Amino acid sequence: MSRPPPDPLYILRGSGAPVNTLHFYCGGDGPPLLYSGSGKGAVHVWNLNTRRAEQVLESHNSNSVIWLDTFDGSRSSLISQGRDMRLCLWDLSEGRSAVTDSLLTGAVGFCQCSLLESQPGSSLLAHPTQDMEEVSVVEMKSWTQVCSLRPDTKLGMLMSMKMWQADSGPVLCAGYEDGSIVLWDVSQRHPLSFLKPLPEPVMCLDVHVCSQKGISGSSEKILQSWTVDGQRTLQMHHSVQMTNPGVSQMRIRADGKILATAGWDNNIRVFGWKKLKPLAVLQHHTDAVNSVAFSDHQDPTQRLLAAGSKDQRISVWSIYSES
Amino acid sequence: MGSVETECFLKLQVRSHLRTLSCSQERMELLHALRSLAGLLEDAEFTRTYYARALQVLVAKDWSKRLLHDHDKELERLWREMFLRGPAEPVLMTLLDAISSARCEVDRSSADSAQYREALIGQISALPSITSNQLRANTPEDLLPHRFYTLLAESILETLERTCQALRAGHDCSLSFISQLLGKVCIQGNGGIFGTMAPRLSSLTRVDPLMQRVTQNLLEKVPERCMESVITGLVLSLKGPTAVSRLMGDLVLNNKKAQFVLTHKMLLQQYQHPSLLLKSVLGYLSLDSERRVLLKQVLRSVCQVWCNSSAVKHTCVEQQLYVTRALLLTVALLQNSEVQELRQELVQCMLGGVQCRLDSNIERIRRMGMVVGECLSQKLDTPGSQLQFQYESNEEIQELRSLMEYQAVEGEEPESDASNNLQPIVEASEVCAVPSQSITSLPVNDSDSELDSDDDLTPFDMSADQEKRISAPPRYVRDCLEGLMSEDAERFELSLQVAASLLRKNVTTTQEVSVQFCRVLLHLEDRYNTTLFLSLRQNAMVALTVTHVKPVVDYWTTEFFSLNYSLRQRLDILEVLALSAQELSEPIRSKQAAAQPIPEVVPPEQFDDITHWRHIVEKRIQSKTRRIGKGVTQPVKAAPNRFAPVAGCFFFPLLKNYDRPQTTFDLLGSDHLVLGRLLHTLGLLMHLAVNAPVASQMGRALLDFIWAVRFHTDQMVRRGVLFAVCSVFLGMHSENLLTDLGEDLMEARAWLADVAESDCDSDCRSLAMQSLVLLDRTLKAQLKIPEMKT
């Protein structure tokens, strides 16, 4: 008999609205933080030592916050993306909660942005635009557009994307409405490879840069992983079947050992990253899970998994964190 | 003239010696007489004529005394010599005569006569019995039957081998003595003698064609009346048809009796043999082209038996299984050309036999029919018209199916030889050595295959990972009812799942819609392939019945006999009635009592002042007392049987209309399946109503009903009848049994005794036996009481 699945370490309550997105910040000095974006435009900054919300930022005119990230390696520089078609930059230092800058993207979809800090001080940001199929990559400080990526063939709406720094320069992986995934060379502005693992829209994808492997999920029961080989082409890899269909988000832990998915069936699923072996089904939430995030703790034993759900709660788990 | 003189002289001489031996007490005289007699042992005339007589004198009583008491070495040596050096038969006969002290009335002078041989064979084959009759517990081990017959088998084998040698040397040999002996031993029930002989003969005949001739000759000479037991013993001990064929040769063609035994008796009249024997016999018939004629003949007769509908009804299941095996084996052994030749017979057999088997109420027989139907149609290979049945496979089915793959030649099992035994082991290790190749549908980099595993992460228990449902189960009885009628598969399923518990929880609402709910449930079909559909539906029906007993039971019993229901629905009704009655008759368990929403009605006595006061104080004490070390054991409370007052509602309506056939439902005709179940259910109801006031009326009515159907041809119905009889005897109070039934009882008793003896179904026999025992016990108890009083 295998061990029973663990219970959550603790639950963060009080966001008052469905939790859409989560982001950990555990570096630097000071307590580890978890940023959460809610469906009513509030961004909560949770202190994971006291397990209380330190700050609540009202933003985006009470429109849903769909993406959060910190930049400049600082806990007080936050970027948020809302359904009001805006990106906001926040300065949270010394108790402030001020929007320092904002960008009107014009995107009405649900696609989350992707931030790439290539060198300290200069960051690239990929964001969806008014044109549903287009990805715009901008230089963060100046909002000057580096490039605009548009597929030649009709793939439908942009659904999700991830940008990372490869040897030859930044590359971006984008998932589209018809289920196809396109690997873009950002500096050359042309598609490198094309893959259509699933027929349904790509709800989410994540790429583990070290193992050159990525995975995509859709509204179906199947998760399909793929590799990026030496010629920077996408190849199908493993696939795994889930009990219930629908994934809203998935994340690979930084060490490339496990993958967590946020399921529409209220469950968080954990898979081994190498073979996609199902490892655990974490049941706690009473409504669809919207977001999962792994913490970036320096000490691997302290690594956490957080999941935000439509039932307005955030569950925090410690799983496979030993050694 | 000279020979006559010597003969006379010999006669005189022997006579005088014998007289001395029998009468004299002088040691020297005795020694002299013995010596001279021993000297005569070489004389053929003496051994032929006088030896037996001399031996008789020597085993007389005073000799044994003399040898035991005097301890005379010389005398004893000579005495032994007389026995050991002479010919064996007279010695054996004399000694055995002496042991059994029952003299055979055999003419000793004609040692070669048939009668004498007969006696000799009888004595040899019965040696263990004769000796142990005398020696009882002191019988030496070699003379105990098992050991003795092994020894005898070894001697016979040795004789046969010597015969072979003699034949090679050009001598003439007769085996009739051995054959008769073998026959005698076998007919006395010692067929186990072949356990030693058969393997040895099998391996000898494999290498030596002369030995084959010898054994075939041996078997041919076996007397006719012993043939059956010899053949049975031999075939049972041989492994595989080729061995049988080597040993028996064309015995089946030459010997009428052997033919009868092999092609008829063993296949169609007996059924206790293992299927290995069938394989041996039928394989033996198939191995030679001349014998194949017999195989076809066998197929015809087996077909005839198999498709005989009266045989299906009147023979026991085991025998049917045996015949089925024989049929399948025969068909498997037929060649394609022969199949075409016998096509007509096979098709007729298949159609008739399968049909009457499918009609049967016994599942095992139905399955047999289906398997044979499939196998035969496959063998006949009519394109597009092969039979295909749906049934659950079990061991018996698989065994029957495997018979179709049987081939006579490969039926030979390897000799248990060291070199042979090594073979499979080597093969097995080779199989293991082949690396198991994992099947991967997707290209995986081999370079990092070692690192590429998640084995270091042990998975958690994922059993809680279930398919998620979108809609919620209904919370009200009426919603549930609607859900059951809805077209939405998920809603339907959820409604069915919660129906039973909802009905039990909401008693008042249930009572409002009970009959309507019944109608819906009765007509419910498994449209969406719901898991556990049947049991969920049944649970709901039972829940309805027990929560609103009278109207629902009325509904069931009227619907049972009405038009336009399928057999399944009628059977469902019976099952539900039985289950509900059972639930009602059980005392309510404490848990259920707590959950019962009906407030307990306080009996009026409790309003009496004093009891009331006491009641309250007792309760208070109970609640304040903490009892350590005492579990939650509560005293067993007597509760009224909820079934007793309503037993009549369940029971009598079911007896009302049985003899009124409808266009769609003829209980006494073709729907005997329902009749069998009905009888069972009635029996159950009777049993559950034990101690109820209405029980004796029910019993009487049930016996009346049974009377009409007790000689039904269907076994299931007869089983039901006997079950009902049992329950009447159990359920009715013994006094009532006598007073109410009286005359009928005696008649029933005669009938039961008849069934117990002669019914073809073993279950029927045992049930009849059971009810006889029950009846006798009650009768005895009843008839004894007055005796004790007086």
Side-chain angles (χ1 to χ4, degrees), chain B residues 345-463:
Chain B
E345 276 97 340
L346 277 173
V347 169
Q348 246 162 29
C349 161
M350 181 176 91
L351 295 179
V354 171
Q355 190 193 351
C356 63
R357 270 178 183 70
L358 290 181
D359 270 349
S360 168
N361 274 342
I362 295 167
E363 198 187 2
R364 233 171 129 193
I365 294 180
R366 281 203 301 276
R367 278 194 191 158
M368 255 182 253
M370 294 188 226
V371 173
V372 173
E374 284 185 6
C375 292
L376 284 190
S377 66
Q378 202 182 335
K379 187 80 182 180
L380 289 170
D381 199 27
T382 35
S385 65
Q386 293 199 355
L387 289 177
Q388 196 95 46
F389 294 99
Q390 281 188 339
Y391 50 86
E392 275 173 36
S393 181
N394 60 11
E395 258 174 51
E396 194 174 289
I397 302 284
Q398 275 159 13
E399 193 232 316
L400 286 177
R401 288 191 151 279
S402 70
L403 293 181
M404 279 306 282
E405 265 97 63
Y406 180 70
Q407 291 300 323
V409 185
E410 63 193 37
E412 180 90 12
E413 287 189 12
E415 295 286 301
S416 56
D417 216 23
S419 60
N420 275 348
N421 274 354
L422 275 178
Q423 210 69 30
I425 295 167
V426 174
E427 275 170 26
S429 61
E430 270 170 18
V431 170
C432 292
V434 174
S436 57
Q437 293 189 328
S438 59
I439 302 149
T440 40
S441 55
L442 294 162
V444 180
N445 284 347
D446 282 341
S447 56
D448 57 356
S449 60
E450 285 157 46
L451 298 168
D452 213 20
S453 88
D454 301 320
D455 286 345
D456 51 334
L457 305 168
T458 43
F460 289 95
D461 177 29
M462 280 178 284
S463 54

Side-chain angles (χ1 to χ4, degrees), chain A residues 3 237 243 275 279 320, chain B residues 442 452 458 460-461 465 468:
Chain A
R3 351 171 240 170
H237 202 62
T243 319
K275 293 260 176 164
L279 293 176
Y320 297 113
Chain B
L442 294 162
D452 213 20
T458 43
F460 289 95
D461 177 29
D465 190 18
K468 200 185 154 198

Side-chain angles (χ1 to χ4, degrees), chain B residues 686-687 690 725-733 774 777:
Chain B
M686 180 69 219
H687 174 65
V690 63
V725 170
C726 271
S727 68
V728 169
F729 291 159
L730 271 176
M732 270 177 86
H733 203 263
L774 283 174
R777 208 171 53 190

